[in-house]
Amino acid sequence: MMAEARPARGPAIALAAVLFAGLAVLAAVAPEFVRTPDLSARYLLPWQSPPFGTDDRGIPLWEVAAQGSRIVLVPAMVAGALTAAAATLAGVARCAGWSWLDTGLQAVGELVGSLPRLVVVLVVALLIPPTWKSLLPIAVVWAFLAAPGAMDEAATTAGRLGGARFVEALKAHGFSAARILLYHVIVLNLRPVLVRQAAEVGMQVVFLEIALSYLAVSRNEPSFTHPDSGYSWATLLYQGYTAALGEPLWHAMALGVGLVAAVATLSRALRAAARAR
Amino acid sequence: MRPLVRWIAAVALPLAVPAVITGALWILPGDPAEIICPPGICTGREVLSARWGLDRGPWGFYTTWLGHAVTGDFGNSWRVAQGLPVRDLVLESLPATGQVVALAMVPLVLGMVASAAGWLPRRADGVWQFVGLIPSVILALGFAAVVQIQFGAASNEGLPALLRVVFAALVLGVADGALADAIVGTRSTFDEEFKQRYAQIATLRGESMLSNALPNVLPALVGQLRARVLAVVSGTVVVEVVLGVPGLGELLWSGTLLQDFGVVLAAAWAYALLSGALLLTQAMAEVAVATWVRAAPPVPERSP
């Protein structure tokens, strides 16, 4: 049987690093407020107003893209880290033979995993005070809801390794419990699962922000993922939608879709970079 | 053990969702009555507090709301459709969501069946996975533009309305990796099972591996199917709003945006009931399969 061809990890790591650095730089240079609308400079194309042109009010699109990047970057990373932490706990519980924790996590996972995520997110969005208007609480809730799936996969992976018997076998070889759990179980065995789940949840948080902001923008209402002074990537997509209806804003659509594609590619690249040898 | 946990979770969900919301209302800073009925948005806070037991603490609110909810009384909407009973709004929105969810399951179930039967080549997996990378909001946007360009903004009846439902179902059945996960997930479940010794012996005996493995993988497949239904149901919120389908998701979004707490709580409870029903279905399927698999095979009588 021929071995399945796998993409090399080196290019995936390089691609992930470049894309992440690009988004981070964009977030870092984001202005606090976008420029005052200038109707004499509206609908400018990228070569008329580098690098991305302007929108229907003359606001440079790069400022909108940068603000959108700042809105999503930290919450997406926090959500990914929380999911990975929950998955690590489940994997370690399976390997350490803590059956009470293992059973408890399964029961909680069953209950939490049964909730429609977006419904819970909307209820949370309704309840959080307007002064806390940010993507972060929503991202944390999303991570909590996504955790059961990640925990289940991590526990299964650890179980496939041999669970508590694997740890006992390594202890017999003289390794300390801390080294076995931190290095052999988490770094060597669970790493692909943890990185994949974290990348997936991070990407989902970005798409969630776009979806929620888009729905608000399309109804001319303030979004609950960021302050009213900020602009989300959803604004670019909404302008792109108006392009389909006749407005000369195809460059906004291209930028919005390009940013979404960059996030999706980053997620895929991270998965490829962290896959098992 | 697992079916029992699911039964318990199914019963607990409709109780837990309003309990968590009640807990959050009292944990968050500020008066719960002001969170539910923000000043400047709704009036008659005292009447509302007395009606829903807000003045009797979290337990008073929880038991009052739940007591009314089981009789189908969710009060009246104060912003989405001012003065109309929330129950009527929920009931009016259910058929549209039901249609979208049922239609969205068609490509997913077909994908699972085709994958199990081996009708889909593995080489095509990349295609499904690439399509699955498209976020639902982007795909829905494209379809919304198509409908609007073809039929205009006020196209909410007849063929355009039907197209909106079909497109919404297509988005939920394909985007966000839905179809790719259905196909690849089903195939990998069978692949694992086909590695078992009994399945390989079945091949040597000239029997179908699929029919031998199916009873053993059914619980896993039912679990995957439940997860997909749940994802589709959850996704209706975004897709219905973008495509203008007047369903439960659209109602929930309107309630959230307009801070109509009564509508949001009722819609969330409807979703919790649906999730509970899905859990029960999965538990029953698991018990049925276990009973079927463990049933003693008929022993042929020996001829003397």
Side-chain angles (χ1 to χ4, degrees):
Chain A
M1 192 190 213
M2 253 175 66
E4 194 183 339
R6 288 178 161 187
R9 291 203 305 177
I13 292 171
L15 181 62
V18 167
L19 287 171
F20 181 78
L23 291 173
V25 167
L26 206 54
V29 300
E32 188 66 31
F33 300 100
V34 296
R35 212 170 294 174
T36 313
D38 175 10
L39 296 181
S40 65
R42 39 190 215 150
Y43 301 128
L44 293 181
L45 295 169
W47 50 90
Q48 294 166 320
S49 174
F52 300 122
T54 61
D55 69 3
D56 56 342
R57 292 183 300 156
I59 296 171
L61 291 180
W62 82 263
E63 293 185 3
V64 177
Q67 282 202 338
S69 188
R70 194 171 61 178
I71 289 169
V72 296
L73 193 68
V74 173
M77 285 166 61
V78 170
L82 286 175
T83 308
T88 305
L89 182 67
V92 169
R94 181 68 55 91
C95 271
W98 301 331
S99 54
W100 55 273
L101 183 60
D102 203 16
T103 310
L105 289 175
Q106 278 182 30
V108 171
E110 196 68 56
L111 200 65
V112 174
S114 305
L115 296 166
R117 295 183 198 175
L118 216 47
V119 177
V120 179
V121 162
L122 288 188
V123 172
V124 170
L126 178 74
L127 291 176
I128 53 176
T131 46
W132 297 5
K133 206 187 253 188
S134 151
L135 180 61
L136 193 59
I138 292 171
V140 170
V141 170
W142 188 267
F144 176 68
L145 295 170
M151 289 160 74
D152 203 30
E153 192 181 344
T156 308
T157 306
R160 215 177 286 143
L161 187 69
R165 280 181 300 149
F166 172 75
V167 176
E168 287 303 318
L170 285 186
K171 273 184 184 169
H173 279 83
F175 293 111
S176 69
R179 182 190 157 92
I180 295 166
L181 290 178
L182 291 176
Y183 181 67
H184 292 274
V185 174
I186 296 175
V187 176
L188 294 184
N189 196 252
L190 292 179
R191 188 195 65 241
V193 176
L194 301 181
V195 174
R196 190 165 55 76
Q197 292 287 353
E200 191 90 1
V201 169
M203 181 184 76
Q204 287 170 358
V205 166
V206 176
F207 291 170
L208 177 69
E209 196 286 325
I210 292 173
L212 294 177
S213 290
Y214 180 86
L215 300 185
V217 167
S218 65
R219 292 202 178 178
N220 215 11
E221 295 277 350
S223 172
F224 32 69
T225 59
H226 57 85
D228 297 346
S229 59
Y231 283 86
S232 155
W233 289 346
T235 309
L236 298 170
L237 293 173
Y238 184 68
Q239 288 172 347
Y241 174 71
T242 61
L245 304 179
E247 293 274 313
L249 282 168
W250 283 110
H251 54 297
M253 174 64 113
L255 179 58
V257 172
L259 288 166
V260 168
V263 172
T265 309
L266 172 60
S267 170
R268 301 293 293 187
L270 281 172
R271 290 170 64 161
R275 69 175 167 72
R277 287 173 198 277
Chain B
M1 184 65 183
R2 274 259 165 168
L4 183 65
V5 173
R6 290 193 222 287
W7 277 83
I8 295 168
V11 175
L13 259 181
L15 301 174
V17 167
V20 170
I21 294 173
T22 307
L25 272 175
W26 262 266
I27 287 169
L28 286 168
D31 180 9
E34 281 194 7
I35 297 174
I36 288 181
C37 180
I41 288 179
C42 81
T43 53
R45 202 173 314 133
E46 291 76 20
V47 179
L48 200 78
S49 292
R51 172 158 166 59
W52 292 112
L54 282 164
D55 47 3
R56 283 184 280 130
W59 182 246
F61 171 73
Y62 177 69
T63 50
T64 306
W65 188 88
L66 208 58
H68 282 93
V70 290
T71 62
D73 177 13
F74 301 103
N76 291 343
S77 160
W78 56 79
R79 287 205 79 193
V80 172
Q82 217 166 11
L84 283 183
V86 172
R87 182 185 58 183
D88 292 355
L89 296 176
V90 171
L91 288 177
E92 277 172 22
S93 62
L94 278 177
T97 299
Q99 284 173 357
V100 170
V101 172
L103 280 175
M105 291 312 295
V106 172
L108 297 179
V109 172
L110 284 179
M112 288 177 82
V113 171
S115 175
W119 297 334
L120 296 173
R122 284 172 195 268
R123 284 180 192 166
D125 285 357
V127 176
W128 319 125
Q129 281 164 346
F130 178 75
V131 173
L133 281 176
I134 304 172
S136 54
V137 69
I138 304 255
L139 199 57
L141 252 168
F143 284 134
V146 168
V147 175
Q148 193 147 346
I149 290 166
Q150 291 292 323
F151 301 99
S155 51
N156 291 318
E157 285 178 356
L159 179 64
L162 180 67
L163 272 181
R164 287 176 195 275
V165 169
V166 172
F167 284 151
L170 193 60
V171 170
L172 290 170
V174 170
D176 289 334
L179 186 61
D181 288 352
I183 292 171
V184 178
T186 305
R187 186 184 292 129
S188 60
T189 305
F190 273 101
D191 282 352
E192 282 299 313
E193 199 62 24
F194 288 162
K195 286 179 193 161
Q196 302 289 323
R197 199 178 154 90
Y198 79 89
Q200 291 172 359
I201 290 173
T203 311
L204 292 174
R205 291 169 61 178
E207 294 172 5
S208 154
M209 275 170 89
L210 182 64
S211 61
N212 271 279
L214 191 61
N216 293 327
V217 298
L218 256 183
L221 293 183
V222 170
Q224 287 179 18
L225 197 60
R226 179 177 72 87
R228 295 193 207 304
V229 175
L230 205 61
V232 166
V233 167
S234 178
T236 53
V237 177
V238 171
V239 173
E240 282 181 1
V241 178
V242 175
L243 278 154
V245 177
L248 195 60
E250 218 270 347
L251 181 68
L252 180 65
W253 174 254
S254 300
T256 309
L257 212 54
L258 299 174
Q259 290 186 281
D260 196 332
F261 192 84
V263 167
V264 173
L265 197 48
W269 201 60
Y271 276 112
L273 285 177
L274 186 67
S275 298
L278 287 172
L279 270 173
L280 275 182
T281 310
Q282 185 183 357
M284 286 194 293
E286 282 172 345
V287 170
V289 168
T291 313
W292 176 31
V293 170
R294 286 180 191 169
V299 180
E301 282 183 26
R302 282 191 179 178
S303 53

